[in-house]
Amino acid sequence: MISGAQPTLHTERLVLRPFELTDAPVVEKLAGEFAIADTTLAIPHPYPDGAAEQWISRHGPGFAAGTLAEYAITTPDGALIGDIGLFVNPSHALAELGYWVGVPFWGRGYATEAGRAILALGFGAFQLHRIQARYFIRNPSSGRVLEKLGMRREGIHRKAVRKWDRFEDVALCASLVSEWRGSAA
Ligand SMILES: CC(C)(COP(=O)(O)OP(=O)(O)OC[C@H]1O[C@@H](n2cnc3c(N)ncnc32)[C@H](O)[C@@H]1OP(=O)(O)O)[C@@H](O)C(=O)NCCC(=O)NCCS
């Protein structure tokens, strides 16, 4: 269990920091792109006015409760380019990883770089046993991110969720702390 303020994380090219309410307009712009909503389960389209503020205002209480670690992916010059977070289930020392990167910033390895830092936080300070992630199988770039993070694909849930008007096949990937330690060694 992690206590105190949510730490800022630094990687080679990125700074992962807690969101601030002033980030809301950029979140609405970036997450408001159809391409972001299309392959995520919970992001609506069009992105409702005011939804970003509400979403950001839930992060602090979630972190304090030990159930959420949501991070703004930013560049060292301060630009917000995406989001990454862990939804923690403390009873099982388990978390679900979720992320998006703004369309103009795709393909530069940012999701993977941010993901490595979040796995280190989860398996380190949060003392998690397992971190898992799910993605629509029609979204191979997300599958590739998880593969680059060293996650193992465990199976496919056929037509498991409804997105827009269609049911999606969803792949489940995960890393156990022992595997993560082994890969980091
Ligand atoms: C998925 C997403 C986060 C990836 O972000 P990113 O910063 O571009 O990811 P990275 O650059 O770290 O890695 C992407 C990898 O996917 C690969 N890729 C891209 N399109 C691909 C495709 N159609 N098929 C296979 N691989 C693909 C890239 O080549 C890269 O792999 P590489 O480094 O081996 O070349 C981003 O596309 C996104 O935000 N999508 C919309 C929201 C979303 O789907 N979130 C995830 C929900 S599970």
Side-chain angles (χ1 to χ4, degrees), residues 8-20 23 71-84 110 113-114:
T8 293
L9 311 175
H10 295 265
T11 71
E12 197 182 329
R13 297 177 297 165
L14 300 170
V15 178
L16 308 188
R17 58 153 176 84
F19 279 93
E20 294 155 10
D23 293 322
Y71 277 95
I73 306 174
T74 70
T75 56
D77 63 1
L80 170 59
I81 64 166
D83 159 59
I84 190 161
Y110 287 144
E113 188 168 324

Side-chain angles (χ1 to χ4, degrees), residues 35-36 39-40 99-101 105-112 134-135 139-142 144-145 148:
I36 301 293
T39 51
T40 48
Y99 46 81
W100 56 262
V101 168
F105 310 102
W106 285 7
R108 301 186 203 174
Y110 287 144
T112 308
R134 279 176 275 197
Y135 68 94
N139 184 18
S141 64
S142 188
R144 178 72 185 129
V145 168
K148 288 193 287 180

